[in-house]
Structure formats: C-alpha cells, structure tokens
Amino acid sequence: MSDKILEMKNITKRYPGVVALDNVSFSVKNKTIHALVGENGAGKSTLMKVLSGVITSGNYEGDIYYKNEHCEFKTIKESENLGIAIIHQELALVPYLSIRENIFLGHEHSKFGVNDVYKMREEAIEVLKRVGLSRMPETIVSDLSVAEQQLVEIAKALTKHIELLVLDEPTSALNENESNQLLNLLLEFKKEGLTSILISHKLSEVIKVCDAFTILRDGAVVETLYRGIDEVTEGRIVQGMVGRSFANNYYPPRDSDIGDVVLKVEDWNVFSTAEDKQIIKDVSFDVKRGEVVGIAGLMGAGRTELAMSIFGYREGQKASGKIYKNQELIQNNNISMAVKNGFAYISEDRKVYGLIQMSTIKDNMTLVNLKSVSNNGRINFDKEINEVNTLIEQLVIRCTGHEQVVETLSGGNQQKVALAKWIFSDADIILLDEPTRGIDVGAKYEIFSIINQLAESGKTILMISSELPELLGMCDRIYLMTQGKIIGCVDAEDATQETIMAQLI
Amino acid sequence: MNKLNIKGSNLKNFKKYGMILTLVAIIIFFQILTGGSLLKPLNIANIVQQNSYILILSTAMLLVIIRGTVDLSVGSICAFIGGVAAMLLVQKQLPLGPVILFLLLLGAVIGAWNGFWIAYVGVPPFIVTLASQLIFRGLAIIVLDGQTIGPFPNQLRAVSSSFLPGIWVNSIDLLSLFVGLALIAFILLSRVFARRKSKKYGIPVRKLWIEFVEALFIIIFIGFLIFSFATFQGIPSVLVLLGILIIIFSFLTTKTTVGRRIYAVGGNDKVAMLSGIDTKKYTFMIFVTMGFIASVAGLVYAGRLNAGSPKAGVGFELDSIAACYIGGASASGGIGTIAGTMIGGLIMGILNNGMSIIGVAVDWQQVIKGLVLLLAVAFDLMSNKKKQ
C-alpha cells in the first residue's frame, strides 16, 4: 500500500470566466499534517469543496484517489462515509442545542426513531475527553467560547470515525493560548493515526506543526515543501503565496514625529448590566500624536469592550472615568458624541459591525460624514462621488467603481473601505480592532502601510490585535491587558513574543 | 469579481423590468377578459380612486419595510381616525380645518406610540403593531359605538371622489393635457441629465435602446392617463395628493441624508449605530411618519365611504405591505424604492379591479392575490440566491 492517503490529480475547476483551479495536483501522506496555504482566492476552499463533494463529480476535471481508490463524490455524505470531514471557518453548530445534540446532529443513535440519549451521552463524554474539553455534554453551545465551540466541531467529526480531517482556518478566531492547545491536539491525533489538512493564514503555526506545505497561488500549485527535505521558512512561503518577496521586513517602516499626548484615559471602569459584572477595571492609558499603540491580551481580556466603551458604546453597560483629548476633558457618552469628538472605531467584525454589506462602496464610505457632502440635508452627489473616487485611488481599493456592492469585495478591500470611511470622517483618534483579521498576506501589508500613513499624518492610533508579531511589528508601545485590567506597558522595540506571553498568562 | 457584479446588475434590471412586464401583462390580460372595460376612462378614474389610500399608505410603509420592520396596525388606525372624524365632524359639527389638523396630529401620536415601544423599549415591531391593530380597531368601534356614522362635509368627500375643475374646451380638459405633457417632459429631461452625469463620473449606463424603450413606456403610460382624464372628468383630486406624497418620499429616499441613513439603519443597524447614527431616533421617526400617513389615508378613505365605519381599513396593512414586497423591497430591510412600490400597488389594484369587473368572487380574489404576493417574493429570493 502506498503511503498516500489522498491523491488529487490534475484537478481543474472552471467558473464562467474564471479558472478557479488550474491543473492542481495535491497529495497527502498518511498520518501527517499537511498545510494548504495561499492568499484568499488562491483556490484553497475550492479544492476542499472538490474533495468533500460540495462540487460534485462531473463539475470538475481530474481524479481523486482516496486510499488508492478512485472516488467520485456526489454528496458530502459520501465523502464523510469514507472518513473525510471538513471543519469550516464559520462554525456550523446550532447555538441553542447542547453539545451532545450538536455532536450527534444528523447521525443520532436511536431505537425505532427514539433517540438513545444515554448511549450518545456516554460517547459524547468520551470524545470530549479526547479533544480535551471539560464540559458537560448538556451545556448549551451558545454558552461556550469560540475555542470551545471549535473543539465541539472536532468532537463531532471524531464521532464519525474519520481518517482525514480538514480544518479551514481553525485558529483565526482563537488567541495564542487557545491556538496552541488546538495545534497540540492535532499533533496528538497524528500520533493516533489521523491525517489532517490545515488551511491557515498564520504561517508561524503552520510551520510549527505541519509536515508538508502546499502553496497555492491563483488556482495553481506553486510548490510543495516537505519538512526535513526542503528548507521551510515563513519568508519562502510568503514569497510563494504572493509571488514577490518582502525585502526582509514584512512590516513597512514608519517615519512619524511623535508629538504630545492626544488621548488620555483615566480610571476607566465599565460595568456590564447584561452580564452583571465589571468588565473593565481602573484602566488608564495614553496615546500620543503620530503614535501607534497596541493592546495585547488574550481573548476575553476586555480589549474590544475597552475600545468600544471609549467610543461611546453603552448597550447593556455603564462606564465611568475620564477621557481627555489634548488635555481637555471630553464626554463620549454615546457614539454620536465620540464621532463629533473625532474618534473612529473600526470593528474586528466587518460583516456585522463594520460595513453594510448590501450597500455600495460610496454609501458605506460617506455614511459617517454625510453632512460634509450635503447642503441642508440634500446630498450633493457630484461632491460625494468625487470624494469617494479620491479615496478609492488613494487607498488603492480594487473595485469596478464606487457603485460596487461591498459584499463582493475581498476582505482586504473591505477593510480599506472601512478605513476610508473613517478617514473621510476626519477622525484623529482611530481605534483599530483586529485590523487584519481574515485578510491575506499581500493585503495585510497594504493595510499596515495605510496605518503608517495615518500615523505619519499626525493621527493617533490605538490598535488591538491577537497576533503578537503584528503588534511588535507595527506599534511603538504595547499595553498588556488581562481580565479587564492593564497590567503593564512595554516598548515594542525591547519586547518579544515570549516576554509578553509570559506576562499575559 | 467584475463578472459577478455585472451579472448582479443584470438580475437587478431583470427584476425591475420583470415587475413592469408583470404590470403590462396583467393590464393586457384583463383588458382582453373584460372586453375593453378595464382601460375605459371611467374605469381608469375608478382604479385611481379605489387604490389611492393603499398607495398613500405604501409610501410610508416602504420606509417601515426598508427599516426591516413591519406595521400591522395601519388599517386599524385608518378606522380609528375615520371614527374620530365622524364623531367630531358629524356628531359634534366642529369646523373641518382644525379637525383635520387635529386628526393628522393624532395619527402622528399613534405612530409615536408604536415607535416608542419598538425603538426605545425593544419590543419586536410585529408584536407592537399587532397589539395596536387590536387596540385601535377596538377604539374605533368604541368611538363609533359600533355604528357607521356619516355623512361628512362635502369638502372632505371632495378629496377622495371629486375631480379638479379643469379647463374644458370641446369636452376635452386642457389642464389634464398640460399637466401630463409637463410631467412627461420633466421625467424625460431628468433622465437625460442623469445619464449625462453618470457618464461624466464613469458610472456604467444602460444601453441606449433600453433607455428608449423605457422612455416609450413612460410616454405611453402617462399619455394614456392624460387621455383618460382629459376625455372623462379631468384629474382626480386624490391623484394630486398622491403625486405630492410620491415626490416627497422619492426625494427623501434618494436625495437626502435622512433617506441614506434610513437605508443604512435598515441594511445593518449595528453598523449604522457604530457610524454615529441615532438608530433609535430614526426607527421612532419612521413610525411617527407611518402614523401620520395612516391618518391621511384614513381621512381619504372616510371621505370615499362618506362615513366613519368600524370596519373601515380591514386588510389595508396587508395590501400596502404586499405592494412594497411586490415592488422589490426586501423583507429583511435595506432595499426598496418608491417607484417599485407604486408599481407593486398598481399590480394589486389592477388585479382587484379586473377581477371584480369579470365577476371573480371575493374569496377567489383573495386566493389569487395571495399567490401573486408569494410568487413575487419567491422570485426575489431565488434571484438573490443565484447572485451568490
């Protein structure tokens, strides 16, 4: 028997006008962890759709061999029955059902149509132990953290007796600590004989755990590297992904004059009336003109809550404390006031909190500051379009024009629209929450460049990120936050990931 | 990306023209079945007057739908306003002017009642307005003591059932002709300017022949209305009221900051809130507007019935909501136009009228209207799915 569990040969998938996969050959060795990397739109998801049977046989060219058998999947169920499971980036759990009910959804143990709850419970406890989740099987899924939900997904896959597990961006919503746990779990499974395919943007993680690396670009395989045979570095993979090299430094340099303190927050406390607990405790910090200051912390440390409460968000929470802008005490009691005071908040969740997906680029960009392009409530379309076109050019937003609907833009371009929206609002204090989440490598670089330009033009920038290398690469100073408190501040130049993590945990 | 977008706009066009084609098909269908009665000048005036109050309601209902909410209480509000009008005008013999002002204000206050619970307390709109449907239907019956009370002063009746005086020469109304031609000229010119502007900013414009076909359609449509009015009794007064409302609401939704923000709040209220828009205030004001317009429609309908009736306005909310949906508004909010809504309202109105003329029983009329609504929204959903 060959040591390859999966071989996909010369897969080509055409959409009208686009070749999504161009003669892709991809093979995975048994009992290994194989990384599949590439920018958004490189064809990773399409390839996995072919593998799982979402794209049914006949709708693509090429052959799939699973355990040396030629396969033609017509449904997801068929691939699942052979032992292939895919866990998608967007978790597919029913929030109001329990862990057990979710795990066995669609393949319940039952006698004469009556669910055998006890048998399922026992099996659930066993599989939860395997994935290292110490929760009762009756816990409702919506009460779990994202990391825990991810584990439930994996547990669900395990009960189906799978041999090939595909994880699509499993750690994108997890913090460092949780990610490490998940990756260790994969290594554990490997010992037990499970093969995994890991799709991820976080190259450091991929390099840490994977045995082989296939790099896709524009629907074609650039190269496949094997640990121990090839020299595997982040630089080489990035170069393969984007087709050009970032001269040593992945983070563009910034040349800004750091001025006086612009934003100063003192004794900031936030009490959540919804959860009946204090979520921010006595937080004080300051940010200077032209400075990029980071906030590092684990998920649940209260970083987003801190930023949003300073931005005047008060739904289900009360805030107290002092905010100074240029030494002057100001009130940000609601978002309108914060906007008037020159604040901007760019959310980590573009779909829900960032942009109106069904609206055009133009309508999104001018939403905050519509007044500046209208007279007495009547919009001056000439002026509006001119302003929007200028911003599209300035930030190099790739689109068919200002009338393109935001939904159809890539993540990176969407984020640029979000940035443009607040640049247009003339905000001078910009709160960035995970500005590069879900954005591919090439676009990240562009977003970083825009952030630098903003700082250079004298804006004051506070940046939240779960990716420590990003904070270290972009920030002047980094505040460390745990459990709603700020426990220290480090100079980015002297700090390392290790020293920061040691303080956060 | 490019490809996808063009495909999307094709579908959007198809949807828009699909609606107009449906309207034309229904007109032709009933024109044949009624042996030509449908498009007789008398019946045209009838269609306008019969549907005016639904179309009036639909203007504000569109805002409610764009907001992603719904108002089930407008029919009951119409009945209540009609009832109070009967009490004040018929029983108490109070002067018309102040009473109308009071009733319009009362409508706005009722809308504020709905808006308060929805925007500031957070009760789902479906529940709030369902409660109001019951409350104001009940109050209408109480105010009228369960009876139909009339007749109203002539001026109130005139709004809904009379015609503008006109300038008559050889039994042709020159006023109708003049107004109609001015309207055609205005619409065509504004389209030419809009097209020029789009070209100037590099916005893709439609093919020229499509513009011509659309222009032709507008000329035929308005031309036919003019002809009908000019040879019958002139312009129905209620059309003036409706026209003013259409202009106001079109302007509001397409050209103003307030309109843009209503679409934003409906498209995604969280994003709107985080952009510094007071989403609660907007929601509240939309319902105030709806209450005000419901009062206008209530008065027009009362005038047409020439009485306040406890049964007035039953089902109005559903007809006006249906007009919005058939006209392309999205049930989840953020999408919809006044022009589409008016076409949607006309489709429903002509279905009603045509079926009545050929003698389809009221029960079957309901069945058919229900099916039309279902198909319209299903088509909308399917075309959206294809887009993804």
Side-chain angles (χ1 to χ4, degrees), chain B residues 68-120:
Chain B
T69 50
V70 73
D71 191 337
L72 300 174
S73 65
V74 294
S76 295
I77 298 176
C78 285
F80 178 63
I81 293 290
V84 177
M87 188 180 79
L88 298 179
L89 293 172
V90 181
Q91 292 181 328
K92 298 233 156 61
Q93 297 284 326
L94 293 175
L96 184 65
V99 169
I100 286 187
L101 278 182
F102 168 74
L103 290 174
L104 293 178
L105 188 71
L106 181 62
V109 170
I110 295 172
W113 162 266
N114 281 339
F116 166 74
W117 292 103
I118 293 165
Y120 293 106

Short mmCIF file of all heavy atoms in Angstrom, two decimals, chain B residues 68-120:
data_model
loop_
_atom_site.label_atom_id
_atom_site.label_comp_id
_atom_site.label_asym_id
_atom_site.label_seq_id
_atom_site.Cartn_x
_atom_site.Cartn_y
_atom_site.Cartn_z
N GLY B 68 -36.58 47.41 7.92
CA GLY B 68 -36.54 46.00 8.31
C GLY B 68 -37.62 45.65 9.31
O GLY B 68 -37.57 44.63 9.97
N THR B 69 -38.62 46.54 9.43
CA THR B 69 -39.70 46.29 10.38
C THR B 69 -41.00 46.15 9.60
O THR B 69 -41.00 46.06 8.37
CB THR B 69 -39.82 47.47 11.38
OG1 THR B 69 -39.86 48.68 10.64
CG2 THR B 69 -38.65 47.48 12.32
N VAL B 70 -42.13 46.13 10.31
CA VAL B 70 -43.41 45.98 9.65
C VAL B 70 -44.45 46.68 10.52
O VAL B 70 -44.24 46.85 11.72
CB VAL B 70 -43.73 44.47 9.47
CG1 VAL B 70 -44.09 43.82 10.79
CG2 VAL B 70 -44.81 44.25 8.44
N ASP B 71 -45.51 47.19 9.91
CA ASP B 71 -46.57 47.83 10.70
C ASP B 71 -47.92 47.21 10.35
O ASP B 71 -48.44 47.41 9.26
CB ASP B 71 -46.59 49.34 10.45
CG ASP B 71 -47.48 50.05 11.45
OD1 ASP B 71 -48.39 49.39 12.01
OD2 ASP B 71 -47.28 51.26 11.68
N LEU B 72 -48.43 46.43 11.29
CA LEU B 72 -49.70 45.74 11.05
C LEU B 72 -50.89 46.56 11.51
O LEU B 72 -52.03 46.12 11.39
CB LEU B 72 -49.71 44.40 11.80
CG LEU B 72 -48.62 43.42 11.41
CD1 LEU B 72 -48.66 42.20 12.31
CD2 LEU B 72 -48.79 43.00 9.96
N SER B 73 -50.63 47.75 12.06
CA SER B 73 -51.72 48.48 12.71
C SER B 73 -52.37 49.53 11.82
O SER B 73 -53.36 50.13 12.20
CB SER B 73 -51.22 49.14 13.99
OG SER B 73 -50.26 50.12 13.68
N VAL B 74 -51.83 49.76 10.61
CA VAL B 74 -52.29 50.93 9.84
C VAL B 74 -53.77 50.85 9.45
O VAL B 74 -54.46 51.85 9.43
CB VAL B 74 -51.41 51.20 8.60
CG1 VAL B 74 -50.01 51.62 9.02
CG2 VAL B 74 -51.35 50.00 7.69
N GLY B 75 -54.26 49.65 9.17
CA GLY B 75 -55.67 49.51 8.82
C GLY B 75 -56.56 49.95 9.97
O GLY B 75 -57.53 50.70 9.79
N SER B 76 -56.21 49.51 11.16
CA SER B 76 -56.99 49.89 12.34
C SER B 76 -56.87 51.38 12.62
O SER B 76 -57.84 52.02 13.04
CB SER B 76 -56.51 49.11 13.57
OG SER B 76 -56.75 47.74 13.40
N ILE B 77 -55.67 51.94 12.37
CA ILE B 77 -55.51 53.38 12.59
C ILE B 77 -56.43 54.15 11.63
O ILE B 77 -57.09 55.11 12.02
CB ILE B 77 -54.03 53.81 12.39
CG1 ILE B 77 -53.14 53.12 13.42
CG2 ILE B 77 -53.89 55.32 12.49
CD1 ILE B 77 -51.66 53.39 13.26
N CYS B 78 -56.50 53.68 10.38
CA CYS B 78 -57.41 54.31 9.41
C CYS B 78 -58.84 54.31 9.95
O CYS B 78 -59.55 55.32 9.91
CB CYS B 78 -57.40 53.55 8.07
SG CYS B 78 -55.92 53.84 7.09
N ALA B 79 -59.28 53.17 10.48
CA ALA B 79 -60.65 53.06 11.00
C ALA B 79 -60.84 53.99 12.18
O ALA B 79 -61.86 54.69 12.29
CB ALA B 79 -60.93 51.62 11.42
N PHE B 80 -59.83 54.03 13.07
CA PHE B 80 -59.93 54.87 14.27
C PHE B 80 -60.01 56.35 13.89
O PHE B 80 -60.85 57.09 14.39
CB PHE B 80 -58.73 54.60 15.18
CG PHE B 80 -58.71 55.43 16.42
CD1 PHE B 80 -59.73 55.31 17.38
CD2 PHE B 80 -57.70 56.34 16.65
CE1 PHE B 80 -59.72 56.08 18.52
CE2 PHE B 80 -57.69 57.12 17.80
CZ PHE B 80 -58.69 56.99 18.74
N ILE B 81 -59.14 56.76 12.95
CA ILE B 81 -59.14 58.16 12.51
C ILE B 81 -60.48 58.50 11.87
O ILE B 81 -61.08 59.55 12.15
CB ILE B 81 -57.98 58.41 11.51
CG1 ILE B 81 -56.62 58.27 12.20
CG2 ILE B 81 -58.12 59.77 10.83
CD1 ILE B 81 -56.29 59.36 13.18
N GLY B 82 -60.98 57.57 11.03
CA GLY B 82 -62.29 57.79 10.40
C GLY B 82 -63.38 57.92 11.46
O GLY B 82 -64.28 58.76 11.36
N GLY B 83 -63.27 57.08 12.50
CA GLY B 83 -64.26 57.11 13.58
C GLY B 83 -64.23 58.43 14.33
O GLY B 83 -65.29 59.05 14.57
N VAL B 84 -63.02 58.87 14.69
CA VAL B 84 -62.91 60.14 15.41
C VAL B 84 -63.40 61.28 14.52
O VAL B 84 -64.08 62.21 14.98
CB VAL B 84 -61.45 60.38 15.87
CG1 VAL B 84 -61.33 61.74 16.55
CG2 VAL B 84 -61.01 59.28 16.82
N ALA B 85 -63.08 61.19 13.21
CA ALA B 85 -63.55 62.22 12.27
C ALA B 85 -65.07 62.28 12.27
O ALA B 85 -65.66 63.38 12.33
CB ALA B 85 -63.02 61.92 10.86
N ALA B 86 -65.70 61.12 12.26
CA ALA B 86 -67.16 61.09 12.25
C ALA B 86 -67.70 61.71 13.53
O ALA B 86 -68.67 62.49 13.52
CB ALA B 86 -67.65 59.65 12.10
N MET B 87 -67.06 61.37 14.65
CA MET B 87 -67.53 61.91 15.92
C MET B 87 -67.43 63.43 15.93
O MET B 87 -68.39 64.12 16.30
CB MET B 87 -66.67 61.31 17.04
CG MET B 87 -67.16 61.62 18.43
SD MET B 87 -66.08 60.86 19.66
CE MET B 87 -64.72 61.98 19.69
N LEU B 88 -66.27 63.96 15.51
CA LEU B 88 -66.05 65.40 15.61
C LEU B 88 -66.81 66.18 14.54
O LEU B 88 -67.34 67.25 14.81
CB LEU B 88 -64.55 65.72 15.50
CG LEU B 88 -63.67 65.12 16.61
CD1 LEU B 88 -62.22 65.48 16.39
CD2 LEU B 88 -64.14 65.61 17.98
N LEU B 89 -66.86 65.64 13.32
CA LEU B 89 -67.44 66.40 12.21
C LEU B 89 -68.95 66.21 12.11
O LEU B 89 -69.69 67.14 11.84
CB LEU B 89 -66.78 66.00 10.89
CG LEU B 89 -65.32 66.40 10.74
CD1 LEU B 89 -64.74 65.80 9.48
CD2 LEU B 89 -65.17 67.92 10.73
N VAL B 90 -69.41 64.97 12.33
CA VAL B 90 -70.83 64.69 12.14
C VAL B 90 -71.62 64.92 13.42
O VAL B 90 -72.59 65.65 13.46
CB VAL B 90 -71.04 63.24 11.63
CG1 VAL B 90 -72.53 62.97 11.41
CG2 VAL B 90 -70.25 63.02 10.35
N GLN B 91 -71.12 64.31 14.50
CA GLN B 91 -71.88 64.42 15.74
C GLN B 91 -71.70 65.78 16.41
O GLN B 91 -72.63 66.41 16.87
CB GLN B 91 -71.48 63.31 16.70
CG GLN B 91 -71.91 61.93 16.17
CD GLN B 91 -71.54 60.81 17.11
OE1 GLN B 91 -70.52 60.90 17.80
NE2 GLN B 91 -72.35 59.77 17.14
N LYS B 92 -70.42 66.25 16.49
CA LYS B 92 -70.16 67.50 17.21
C LYS B 92 -70.20 68.70 16.27
O LYS B 92 -70.13 69.85 16.72
CB LYS B 92 -68.79 67.42 17.89
CG LYS B 92 -68.74 66.29 18.93
CD LYS B 92 -68.26 66.81 20.27
CE LYS B 92 -68.72 65.95 21.44
NZ LYS B 92 -68.30 64.59 21.50
N GLN B 93 -70.25 68.46 14.94
CA GLN B 93 -70.35 69.55 13.97
C GLN B 93 -69.22 70.56 14.10
O GLN B 93 -69.44 71.77 13.95
CB GLN B 93 -71.70 70.26 14.11
CG GLN B 93 -72.91 69.39 13.81
CD GLN B 93 -73.09 69.18 12.32
OE1 GLN B 93 -72.81 70.05 11.52
NE2 GLN B 93 -73.55 67.99 11.93
N LEU B 94 -68.00 70.10 14.42
CA LEU B 94 -66.88 71.03 14.54
C LEU B 94 -66.38 71.42 13.15
O LEU B 94 -66.60 70.70 12.18
CB LEU B 94 -65.75 70.37 15.34
CG LEU B 94 -66.08 70.10 16.81
CD1 LEU B 94 -64.95 69.33 17.48
CD2 LEU B 94 -66.35 71.41 17.55
N PRO B 95 -65.68 72.57 13.05
CA PRO B 95 -65.20 73.03 11.73
C PRO B 95 -64.15 72.07 11.15
O PRO B 95 -63.35 71.48 11.89
CB PRO B 95 -64.59 74.40 12.01
CG PRO B 95 -64.35 74.43 13.48
CD PRO B 95 -65.37 73.53 14.12
N LEU B 96 -64.17 71.93 9.84
CA LEU B 96 -63.36 70.92 9.15
C LEU B 96 -61.85 71.13 9.32
O LEU B 96 -61.12 70.21 9.68
CB LEU B 96 -63.72 70.92 7.66
CG LEU B 96 -63.04 69.85 6.81
CD1 LEU B 96 -63.48 68.46 7.22
CD2 LEU B 96 -63.31 70.07 5.33
N GLY B 97 -61.38 72.37 9.07
CA GLY B 97 -59.93 72.65 9.08
C GLY B 97 -59.23 72.20 10.35
O GLY B 97 -58.34 71.35 10.31
N PRO B 98 -59.65 72.74 11.49
CA PRO B 98 -58.99 72.36 12.75
C PRO B 98 -59.09 70.85 13.01
O PRO B 98 -58.15 70.25 13.52
CB PRO B 98 -59.77 73.14 13.81
CG PRO B 98 -60.40 74.26 13.09
CD PRO B 98 -60.65 73.79 11.69
N VAL B 99 -60.23 70.25 12.66
CA VAL B 99 -60.41 68.82 12.91
C VAL B 99 -59.39 68.02 12.11
O VAL B 99 -58.74 67.10 12.63
CB VAL B 99 -61.84 68.37 12.56
CG1 VAL B 99 -61.93 66.85 12.56
CG2 VAL B 99 -62.83 68.94 13.56
N ILE B 100 -59.19 68.39 10.85
CA ILE B 100 -58.22 67.64 10.03
C ILE B 100 -56.82 67.78 10.61
O ILE B 100 -56.09 66.80 10.75
CB ILE B 100 -58.27 68.14 8.56
CG1 ILE B 100 -59.55 67.60 7.92
CG2 ILE B 100 -57.04 67.66 7.78
CD1 ILE B 100 -59.67 67.85 6.45
N LEU B 101 -56.46 69.00 11.01
CA LEU B 101 -55.14 69.20 11.62
C LEU B 101 -54.99 68.32 12.86
O LEU B 101 -53.98 67.65 13.06
CB LEU B 101 -54.96 70.67 12.00
CG LEU B 101 -54.53 71.58 10.87
CD1 LEU B 101 -54.34 73.00 11.38
CD2 LEU B 101 -53.23 71.07 10.24
N PHE B 102 -56.06 68.32 13.67
CA PHE B 102 -56.02 67.52 14.89
C PHE B 102 -55.85 66.03 14.57
O PHE B 102 -55.06 65.33 15.20
CB PHE B 102 -57.32 67.74 15.69
CG PHE B 102 -57.49 66.75 16.81
CD1 PHE B 102 -56.72 66.84 17.97
CD2 PHE B 102 -58.40 65.70 16.70
CE1 PHE B 102 -56.86 65.92 18.99
CE2 PHE B 102 -58.54 64.76 17.72
CZ PHE B 102 -57.76 64.88 18.87
N LEU B 103 -56.58 65.56 13.54
CA LEU B 103 -56.52 64.13 13.20
C LEU B 103 -55.15 63.73 12.67
O LEU B 103 -54.65 62.64 12.96
CB LEU B 103 -57.62 63.79 12.19
CG LEU B 103 -59.04 63.84 12.76
CD1 LEU B 103 -60.06 63.63 11.66
CD2 LEU B 103 -59.23 62.82 13.87
N LEU B 104 -54.54 64.64 11.87
CA LEU B 104 -53.20 64.34 11.37
C LEU B 104 -52.22 64.23 12.53
O LEU B 104 -51.38 63.32 12.59
CB LEU B 104 -52.74 65.42 10.39
CG LEU B 104 -53.53 65.48 9.06
CD1 LEU B 104 -53.03 66.62 8.19
CD2 LEU B 104 -53.42 64.15 8.31
N LEU B 105 -52.38 65.15 13.48
CA LEU B 105 -51.52 65.12 14.67
C LEU B 105 -51.77 63.84 15.47
O LEU B 105 -50.84 63.17 15.92
CB LEU B 105 -51.82 66.35 15.53
CG LEU B 105 -50.87 66.54 16.71
CD1 LEU B 105 -49.49 66.95 16.19
CD2 LEU B 105 -51.41 67.59 17.67
N LEU B 106 -53.07 63.48 15.58
CA LEU B 106 -53.43 62.26 16.31
C LEU B 106 -52.75 61.04 15.67
O LEU B 106 -52.22 60.16 16.36
CB LEU B 106 -54.95 62.10 16.31
CG LEU B 106 -55.50 60.88 17.06
CD1 LEU B 106 -55.14 60.95 18.54
CD2 LEU B 106 -57.02 60.78 16.88
N GLY B 107 -52.75 61.01 14.34
CA GLY B 107 -52.09 59.90 13.63
C GLY B 107 -50.62 59.82 13.98
O GLY B 107 -50.09 58.75 14.28
N ALA B 108 -49.97 61.00 14.00
CA ALA B 108 -48.54 61.04 14.34
C ALA B 108 -48.32 60.54 15.77
O ALA B 108 -47.36 59.83 16.05
CB ALA B 108 -47.99 62.45 14.16
N VAL B 109 -49.24 60.92 16.67
CA VAL B 109 -49.10 60.49 18.07
C VAL B 109 -49.25 58.96 18.18
O VAL B 109 -48.50 58.30 18.90
CB VAL B 109 -50.14 61.21 18.97
CG1 VAL B 109 -50.17 60.59 20.36
CG2 VAL B 109 -49.82 62.69 19.05
N ILE B 110 -50.21 58.41 17.42
CA ILE B 110 -50.37 56.95 17.43
C ILE B 110 -49.09 56.28 16.90
O ILE B 110 -48.62 55.29 17.45
CB ILE B 110 -51.59 56.54 16.59
CG1 ILE B 110 -52.87 57.07 17.24
CG2 ILE B 110 -51.66 55.01 16.47
CD1 ILE B 110 -54.11 56.88 16.38
N GLY B 111 -48.52 56.87 15.84
CA GLY B 111 -47.27 56.35 15.31
C GLY B 111 -46.16 56.43 16.36
O GLY B 111 -45.35 55.50 16.50
N ALA B 112 -46.17 57.52 17.13
CA ALA B 112 -45.16 57.69 18.18
C ALA B 112 -45.34 56.61 19.25
O ALA B 112 -44.36 56.10 19.80
CB ALA B 112 -45.27 59.08 18.81
N TRP B 113 -46.58 56.26 19.52
CA TRP B 113 -46.87 55.18 20.48
C TRP B 113 -46.22 53.88 20.00
O TRP B 113 -45.49 53.23 20.74
CB TRP B 113 -48.39 55.04 20.62
CG TRP B 113 -48.88 53.75 21.19
CD1 TRP B 113 -49.29 52.64 20.50
CD2 TRP B 113 -49.03 53.41 22.58
NE1 TRP B 113 -49.68 51.65 21.37
CE2 TRP B 113 -49.53 52.10 22.65
CE3 TRP B 113 -48.79 54.11 23.78
CZ2 TRP B 113 -49.79 51.46 23.84
CZ3 TRP B 113 -49.07 53.46 24.98
CH2 TRP B 113 -49.56 52.16 25.01
N ASN B 114 -46.47 53.52 18.74
CA ASN B 114 -45.81 52.32 18.19
C ASN B 114 -44.30 52.45 18.25
O ASN B 114 -43.59 51.53 18.68
CB ASN B 114 -46.21 52.12 16.71
CG ASN B 114 -47.60 51.51 16.57
OD1 ASN B 114 -48.10 50.88 17.50
ND2 ASN B 114 -48.21 51.68 15.41
N GLY B 115 -43.82 53.61 17.80
CA GLY B 115 -42.38 53.84 17.70
C GLY B 115 -41.69 53.77 19.06
O GLY B 115 -40.58 53.24 19.19
N PHE B 116 -42.36 54.27 20.08
CA PHE B 116 -41.79 54.24 21.43
C PHE B 116 -41.51 52.79 21.87
O PHE B 116 -40.42 52.46 22.31
CB PHE B 116 -42.74 54.91 22.42
CG PHE B 116 -42.40 54.64 23.86
CD1 PHE B 116 -41.31 55.28 24.45
CD2 PHE B 116 -43.13 53.74 24.61
CE1 PHE B 116 -40.96 55.01 25.76
CE2 PHE B 116 -42.79 53.47 25.93
CZ PHE B 116 -41.70 54.10 26.51
N TRP B 117 -42.49 51.93 21.73
CA TRP B 117 -42.32 50.55 22.19
C TRP B 117 -41.27 49.83 21.35
O TRP B 117 -40.49 49.03 21.85
CB TRP B 117 -43.65 49.79 22.12
CG TRP B 117 -44.64 50.28 23.11
CD1 TRP B 117 -45.72 51.07 22.88
CD2 TRP B 117 -44.62 50.06 24.53
NE1 TRP B 117 -46.38 51.35 24.04
CE2 TRP B 117 -45.73 50.73 25.08
CE3 TRP B 117 -43.76 49.35 25.38
CZ2 TRP B 117 -46.01 50.72 26.44
CZ3 TRP B 117 -44.06 49.33 26.74
CH2 TRP B 117 -45.17 50.01 27.26
N ILE B 118 -41.27 50.13 20.04
CA ILE B 118 -40.34 49.42 19.16
C ILE B 118 -38.91 49.92 19.34
O ILE B 118 -37.98 49.15 19.58
CB ILE B 118 -40.78 49.58 17.68
CG1 ILE B 118 -42.11 48.85 17.46
CG2 ILE B 118 -39.70 49.05 16.73
CD1 ILE B 118 -42.82 49.23 16.18
N ALA B 119 -38.74 51.26 19.28
CA ALA B 119 -37.38 51.80 19.26
C ALA B 119 -36.77 51.85 20.65
O ALA B 119 -35.61 51.50 20.84
CB ALA B 119 -37.38 53.19 18.63
N TYR B 120 -37.55 52.29 21.63
CA TYR B 120 -36.93 52.57 22.94
C TYR B 120 -37.12 51.45 23.95
O TYR B 120 -36.35 51.34 24.90
CB TYR B 120 -37.46 53.90 23.48
CG TYR B 120 -36.98 55.06 22.64
CD1 TYR B 120 -37.85 55.73 21.77
CD2 TYR B 120 -35.64 55.44 22.66
CE1 TYR B 120 -37.39 56.76 20.97
CE2 TYR B 120 -35.18 56.46 21.86
CZ TYR B 120 -36.05 57.13 21.02
OH TYR B 120 -35.59 58.14 20.23
#
